[in-house]
Amino acid sequence: MRFYIISLISGAECCENPPTLSSSSGVGSVLEIGGFKAYVSAPSSSKLAILLVSDVYGYEAPNLRTLADKVAAAGYYVVVPDFLYGDPYNPENTEKPLSIWIQSHGTDKGFEDAKKVVAALKDKGISAIGAAGFCWGAKVVTDLAKSDYIQAAVQLHPSLVKVDDIKEVKAPIAILAAEIDRISPPELIKQFEEILSSKPEVDSFVKIFPSVKHGWTVRYNVEDKEAVQSAEEAHQHMLDWFTKYVKDEELLHFVDQEQ
């Protein structure tokens, strides 16, 4: 647990610009999936799912739900589970600083919880699943990418992800990182890129976005045009990655037979 604490408090970026949480934000609905409350935004018939794993501020963050709606508009069944059990980090709660909060919200538990949601999605008839993780959630998604739980992974300004994690990744993975980031600095991201480059069996895409800080893809000021533009650029990279790898294999097989 000591690793979690050191990694998360080593950079103030982890907790900067906390969102104003809203249980009613977004055009989707809160449902139960795999035993968890989850924000779900989806077309009714999609067999392709995207799992979005939040940062420490949880699944009620409006920008995260807006992103879920955007991905759903592209045809995916998008799920944002409450892996924090209704207890997102609150920087104003002085009785529970981050070093205490994280002790009951380890990413190892998040990974076990994510496996339950993946299983529930497959039980619903979902044929392919992609997952994107933000900060805390990036470690959860990386763990999923070490096996066959998902078809594609995206890290957005990751925290807690280590070199050894990247060595074990099996699913196609995109890493979208910030230039200004003491938690996962560019030097570390470049190590990730070198490792992935040595794994030709795993397709990868790594990009370090200039002049942005850790958390920029979901904790941006919607009134700041430049911040919105930078976030949307990352969102598009994420969506492009899923478009490339999260596909209905049964449909593809049928098309191949027809041709």
Side-chain angles (χ1 to χ4, degrees):
M1 196 60 68
R2 184 170 177 268
F3 172 74
Y4 291 134
I5 296 170
I6 291 174
S7 296
L8 275 172
I9 66 176
S10 62
E13 301 99 336
C14 183
C15 304
E16 283 183 352
N17 304 319
T20 300
L21 303 183
S22 172
S23 61
S24 61
S25 61
V27 300
S29 304
V30 174
L31 307 175
E32 184 174 306
I33 297 181
F36 297 90
K37 284 185 178 180
Y39 177 76
V40 177
S41 188
S44 59
S45 59
S46 180
K47 289 189 175 182
L48 307 177
I50 302 299
L51 174 65
L52 300 183
V53 186
S54 76
D55 60 15
V56 298
Y57 291 111
Y59 84 132
E60 292 185 347
N63 287 352
L64 180 58
R65 290 192 174 187
T66 296
L67 177 56
D69 295 338
K70 183 190 301 184
V71 177
Y76 296 98
Y77 188 94
V78 184
V79 179
V80 191
D82 179 18
F83 289 148
L84 303 182
Y85 293 84
D87 182 35
Y89 173 64
N90 180 0
E92 296 182 359
N93 184 354
T94 57
E95 295 182 359
K96 191 183 286 187
L98 190 62
S99 58
I100 299 298
W101 179 90
I102 196 64
Q103 292 181 29
S104 57
H105 297 289
T107 55
D108 51 348
K109 181 65 166 61
F111 170 53
E112 294 302 319
D113 292 342
K115 288 194 291 185
K116 296 174 184 175
V117 171
V118 167
L121 289 171
K122 291 180 177 178
D123 286 344
K124 282 176 57 66
I126 295 294
S127 61
I129 301 171
F134 307 81
C135 310
W136 180 93
K139 168 61 173 169
V140 174
V141 167
T142 303
D143 286 343
L144 289 173
K146 295 177 185 179
S147 190
D148 60 354
Y149 295 111
I150 56 176
Q151 279 61 62
V154 180
Q155 297 178 5
L156 299 99
H157 34 86
S159 61
L160 304 171
V161 179
K162 299 178 289 184
V163 166
D164 286 345
D165 292 317
I166 301 301
K167 290 178 179 178
E168 296 181 39
V169 166
K170 296 181 180 179
I173 185 168
I175 301 175
L176 309 177
E179 180 183 28
I180 306 167
D181 193 334
R182 286 178 288 173
I183 298 169
S184 292
E187 295 78 12
L188 179 61
I189 300 302
K190 289 175 182 177
Q191 287 185 57
F192 292 172
E193 186 174 24
E194 289 175 4
I195 292 167
L196 291 168
S197 295
S198 70
K199 294 163 64 78
E201 72 280 9
V202 177
D203 194 13
S204 61
F205 174 79
V206 179
K207 182 172 181 177
I208 298 173
F209 286 71
S211 306
V212 297
K213 293 183 178 181
H214 182 91
W216 95 97
T217 68
V218 285
R219 297 207 299 271
Y220 56 89
N221 179 356
V222 296
E223 303 297 328
D224 184 334
K225 290 184 178 179
E226 288 188 4
V228 171
Q229 183 177 351
S230 294
E232 290 183 344
E233 183 181 349
H235 299 164
Q236 189 59 52
H237 279 300
M238 181 190 76
L239 187 55
D240 289 345
W241 196 251
F242 290 142
T243 300
K244 185 176 182 180
Y245 286 107
V246 183
K247 301 176 180 179
D248 190 331
E249 295 299 334
E250 292 182 6
L251 178 59
L252 290 174
H253 180 67
F254 175 76
V255 171
D256 288 341
Q257 287 184 324
E258 288 295 299
Q259 293 176 344

Short mmCIF file of all heavy atoms in Angstrom, two decimals, residues 27-33 36-43 59 65 68-69 72 76-81 121 124:
data_model
loop_
_atom_site.label_atom_id
_atom_site.label_comp_id
_atom_site.label_asym_id
_atom_site.label_seq_id
_atom_site.Cartn_x
_atom_site.Cartn_y
_atom_site.Cartn_z
N VAL A 27 -26.67 12.34 -20.39
CA VAL A 27 -27.95 11.96 -20.98
C VAL A 27 -28.27 10.49 -20.76
O VAL A 27 -29.34 10.01 -21.13
CB VAL A 27 -27.97 12.26 -22.50
CG1 VAL A 27 -27.76 13.73 -22.76
CG2 VAL A 27 -26.91 11.44 -23.24
N GLY A 28 -27.34 9.76 -20.15
CA GLY A 28 -27.55 8.34 -19.89
C GLY A 28 -28.30 8.10 -18.59
O GLY A 28 -28.96 9.00 -18.05
N SER A 29 -28.19 6.86 -18.09
CA SER A 29 -28.90 6.46 -16.88
C SER A 29 -27.95 5.74 -15.94
O SER A 29 -26.94 5.18 -16.37
CB SER A 29 -30.06 5.52 -17.22
OG SER A 29 -30.94 6.12 -18.15
N VAL A 30 -28.27 5.73 -14.66
CA VAL A 30 -27.52 4.96 -13.68
C VAL A 30 -28.22 3.61 -13.50
O VAL A 30 -29.39 3.55 -13.11
CB VAL A 30 -27.41 5.69 -12.33
CG1 VAL A 30 -26.74 4.79 -11.29
CG2 VAL A 30 -26.61 6.98 -12.50
N LEU A 31 -27.52 2.55 -13.84
CA LEU A 31 -28.05 1.19 -13.76
C LEU A 31 -27.13 0.35 -12.90
O LEU A 31 -26.06 0.81 -12.47
CB LEU A 31 -28.14 0.59 -15.17
CG LEU A 31 -28.90 1.38 -16.23
CD1 LEU A 31 -28.78 0.69 -17.58
CD2 LEU A 31 -30.36 1.54 -15.84
N GLU A 32 -27.53 -0.88 -12.65
CA GLU A 32 -26.66 -1.81 -11.93
C GLU A 32 -26.09 -2.81 -12.93
O GLU A 32 -26.82 -3.45 -13.67
CB GLU A 32 -27.41 -2.55 -10.83
CG GLU A 32 -26.49 -3.45 -10.02
CD GLU A 32 -27.18 -4.09 -8.82
OE1 GLU A 32 -27.76 -3.34 -8.01
OE2 GLU A 32 -27.14 -5.33 -8.72
N ILE A 33 -24.78 -2.92 -12.95
CA ILE A 33 -24.10 -3.88 -13.83
C ILE A 33 -23.02 -4.60 -13.04
O ILE A 33 -22.14 -3.96 -12.45
CB ILE A 33 -23.47 -3.17 -15.05
CG1 ILE A 33 -24.56 -2.52 -15.91
CG2 ILE A 33 -22.66 -4.15 -15.89
CD1 ILE A 33 -24.04 -1.83 -17.13
N PHE A 36 -22.58 -3.38 -9.48
CA PHE A 36 -22.14 -2.02 -9.24
C PHE A 36 -23.08 -1.01 -9.88
O PHE A 36 -23.61 -1.26 -10.96
CB PHE A 36 -20.73 -1.80 -9.83
CG PHE A 36 -19.69 -2.66 -9.21
CD1 PHE A 36 -19.42 -3.91 -9.72
CD2 PHE A 36 -18.98 -2.22 -8.10
CE1 PHE A 36 -18.47 -4.73 -9.14
CE2 PHE A 36 -18.02 -3.02 -7.52
CZ PHE A 36 -17.77 -4.28 -8.04
N LYS A 37 -23.25 0.12 -9.21
CA LYS A 37 -23.92 1.23 -9.88
C LYS A 37 -23.00 1.69 -11.01
O LYS A 37 -21.79 1.73 -10.87
CB LYS A 37 -24.14 2.39 -8.91
CG LYS A 37 -25.27 2.18 -7.92
CD LYS A 37 -25.47 3.44 -7.10
CE LYS A 37 -26.64 3.29 -6.14
NZ LYS A 37 -26.85 4.52 -5.32
N ALA A 38 -23.60 2.04 -12.12
CA ALA A 38 -22.81 2.48 -13.26
C ALA A 38 -23.59 3.48 -14.08
O ALA A 38 -24.81 3.33 -14.27
CB ALA A 38 -22.40 1.30 -14.13
N TYR A 39 -22.90 4.49 -14.55
CA TYR A 39 -23.50 5.40 -15.52
C TYR A 39 -23.41 4.71 -16.88
O TYR A 39 -22.31 4.30 -17.31
CB TYR A 39 -22.75 6.73 -15.55
CG TYR A 39 -23.29 7.68 -16.60
CD1 TYR A 39 -24.47 8.36 -16.39
CD2 TYR A 39 -22.60 7.88 -17.79
CE1 TYR A 39 -24.99 9.22 -17.36
CE2 TYR A 39 -23.10 8.73 -18.76
CZ TYR A 39 -24.30 9.40 -18.54
OH TYR A 39 -24.80 10.24 -19.50
N VAL A 40 -24.55 4.56 -17.54
CA VAL A 40 -24.60 3.86 -18.82
C VAL A 40 -25.18 4.79 -19.87
O VAL A 40 -26.24 5.38 -19.69
CB VAL A 40 -25.47 2.58 -18.72
CG1 VAL A 40 -25.58 1.91 -20.08
CG2 VAL A 40 -24.88 1.62 -17.70
N SER A 41 -24.45 4.90 -20.96
CA SER A 41 -24.92 5.69 -22.09
C SER A 41 -24.73 4.82 -23.32
O SER A 41 -23.61 4.36 -23.59
CB SER A 41 -24.11 6.98 -22.22
OG SER A 41 -24.65 7.84 -23.20
N ALA A 42 -25.81 4.55 -24.05
CA ALA A 42 -25.67 3.55 -25.09
C ALA A 42 -26.83 3.54 -26.07
O ALA A 42 -27.97 3.81 -25.70
CB ALA A 42 -25.59 2.16 -24.44
N PRO A 43 -26.53 3.19 -27.33
CA PRO A 43 -27.61 2.83 -28.25
C PRO A 43 -28.17 1.49 -27.81
O PRO A 43 -27.45 0.69 -27.20
CB PRO A 43 -26.90 2.74 -29.61
CG PRO A 43 -25.47 2.47 -29.28
CD PRO A 43 -25.21 3.14 -27.96
N TYR A 59 -17.40 8.37 -10.69
CA TYR A 59 -18.23 8.25 -11.89
C TYR A 59 -19.27 9.34 -12.06
O TYR A 59 -20.00 9.36 -13.05
CB TYR A 59 -18.90 6.88 -11.92
CG TYR A 59 -20.19 6.72 -11.13
CD1 TYR A 59 -21.30 6.14 -11.72
CD2 TYR A 59 -20.30 7.14 -9.82
CE1 TYR A 59 -22.49 5.98 -11.03
CE2 TYR A 59 -21.48 6.97 -9.11
CZ TYR A 59 -22.57 6.40 -9.73
OH TYR A 59 -23.74 6.25 -9.03
N ARG A 65 -18.77 11.96 -17.79
CA ARG A 65 -20.05 11.50 -18.33
C ARG A 65 -20.30 12.09 -19.72
O ARG A 65 -20.87 11.41 -20.59
CB ARG A 65 -21.19 11.87 -17.38
CG ARG A 65 -21.16 11.04 -16.09
CD ARG A 65 -22.44 11.20 -15.29
NE ARG A 65 -22.46 10.30 -14.15
CZ ARG A 65 -23.51 10.13 -13.35
NH1 ARG A 65 -24.64 10.81 -13.59
NH2 ARG A 65 -23.47 9.30 -12.33
N ALA A 68 -18.46 9.91 -21.97
CA ALA A 68 -19.20 8.64 -22.14
C ALA A 68 -20.30 8.81 -23.17
O ALA A 68 -20.50 7.95 -24.04
CB ALA A 68 -19.77 8.19 -20.80
N ASP A 69 -21.01 9.93 -23.11
CA ASP A 69 -22.08 10.19 -24.07
C ASP A 69 -21.52 10.32 -25.49
O ASP A 69 -22.13 9.86 -26.47
CB ASP A 69 -22.83 11.47 -23.69
CG ASP A 69 -23.58 11.35 -22.37
OD1 ASP A 69 -23.87 10.21 -21.94
OD2 ASP A 69 -23.87 12.40 -21.77
N ALA A 72 -20.68 6.88 -26.73
CA ALA A 72 -21.93 6.17 -27.00
C ALA A 72 -22.52 6.62 -28.34
O ALA A 72 -23.09 5.81 -29.08
CB ALA A 72 -22.93 6.40 -25.88
N TYR A 76 -21.27 2.77 -29.31
CA TYR A 76 -20.84 1.84 -28.27
C TYR A 76 -21.76 1.86 -27.04
O TYR A 76 -22.36 2.89 -26.72
CB TYR A 76 -19.42 2.17 -27.81
CG TYR A 76 -18.37 2.02 -28.88
CD1 TYR A 76 -17.92 3.13 -29.59
CD2 TYR A 76 -17.85 0.78 -29.19
CE1 TYR A 76 -16.96 3.01 -30.58
CE2 TYR A 76 -16.89 0.64 -30.19
CZ TYR A 76 -16.46 1.75 -30.88
OH TYR A 76 -15.51 1.61 -31.87
N TYR A 77 -21.80 0.71 -26.37
CA TYR A 77 -22.48 0.60 -25.08
C TYR A 77 -21.44 1.01 -24.03
O TYR A 77 -20.50 0.27 -23.76
CB TYR A 77 -22.95 -0.83 -24.86
CG TYR A 77 -23.82 -1.05 -23.66
CD1 TYR A 77 -25.21 -1.02 -23.76
CD2 TYR A 77 -23.27 -1.31 -22.40
CE1 TYR A 77 -26.02 -1.23 -22.65
CE2 TYR A 77 -24.06 -1.52 -21.29
CZ TYR A 77 -25.44 -1.48 -21.42
OH TYR A 77 -26.24 -1.69 -20.32
N VAL A 78 -21.60 2.20 -23.46
CA VAL A 78 -20.57 2.76 -22.60
C VAL A 78 -20.98 2.65 -21.13
O VAL A 78 -22.09 3.04 -20.75
CB VAL A 78 -20.29 4.23 -22.96
CG1 VAL A 78 -19.14 4.78 -22.11
CG2 VAL A 78 -19.96 4.36 -24.45
N VAL A 79 -20.05 2.14 -20.34
CA VAL A 79 -20.31 1.91 -18.92
C VAL A 79 -19.24 2.60 -18.08
O VAL A 79 -18.05 2.41 -18.32
CB VAL A 79 -20.31 0.40 -18.60
CG1 VAL A 79 -20.56 0.16 -17.13
CG2 VAL A 79 -21.36 -0.33 -19.43
N VAL A 80 -19.68 3.39 -17.11
CA VAL A 80 -18.76 4.05 -16.18
C VAL A 80 -19.13 3.60 -14.77
O VAL A 80 -20.00 4.18 -14.13
CB VAL A 80 -18.85 5.59 -16.29
CG1 VAL A 80 -17.71 6.24 -15.51
CG2 VAL A 80 -18.85 6.06 -17.73
N PRO A 81 -18.51 2.54 -14.28
CA PRO A 81 -18.92 1.99 -12.98
C PRO A 81 -18.44 2.82 -11.80
O PRO A 81 -17.45 3.56 -11.89
CB PRO A 81 -18.25 0.61 -12.97
CG PRO A 81 -17.76 0.37 -14.35
CD PRO A 81 -17.48 1.73 -14.92
N LEU A 121 -21.05 -7.78 -18.76
CA LEU A 121 -21.26 -7.29 -20.13
C LEU A 121 -21.28 -8.45 -21.12
O LEU A 121 -22.12 -8.48 -22.04
CB LEU A 121 -20.15 -6.30 -20.50
CG LEU A 121 -20.20 -4.94 -19.80
CD1 LEU A 121 -18.94 -4.14 -20.09
CD2 LEU A 121 -21.43 -4.16 -20.24
N LYS A 124 -24.47 -10.15 -21.13
CA LYS A 124 -25.51 -9.38 -21.83
C LYS A 124 -25.45 -9.58 -23.34
O LYS A 124 -26.29 -9.08 -24.08
CB LYS A 124 -25.34 -7.88 -21.54
CG LYS A 124 -25.84 -7.43 -20.19
CD LYS A 124 -25.53 -5.96 -19.96
CE LYS A 124 -26.12 -5.07 -21.03
NZ LYS A 124 -27.59 -5.06 -21.04
#
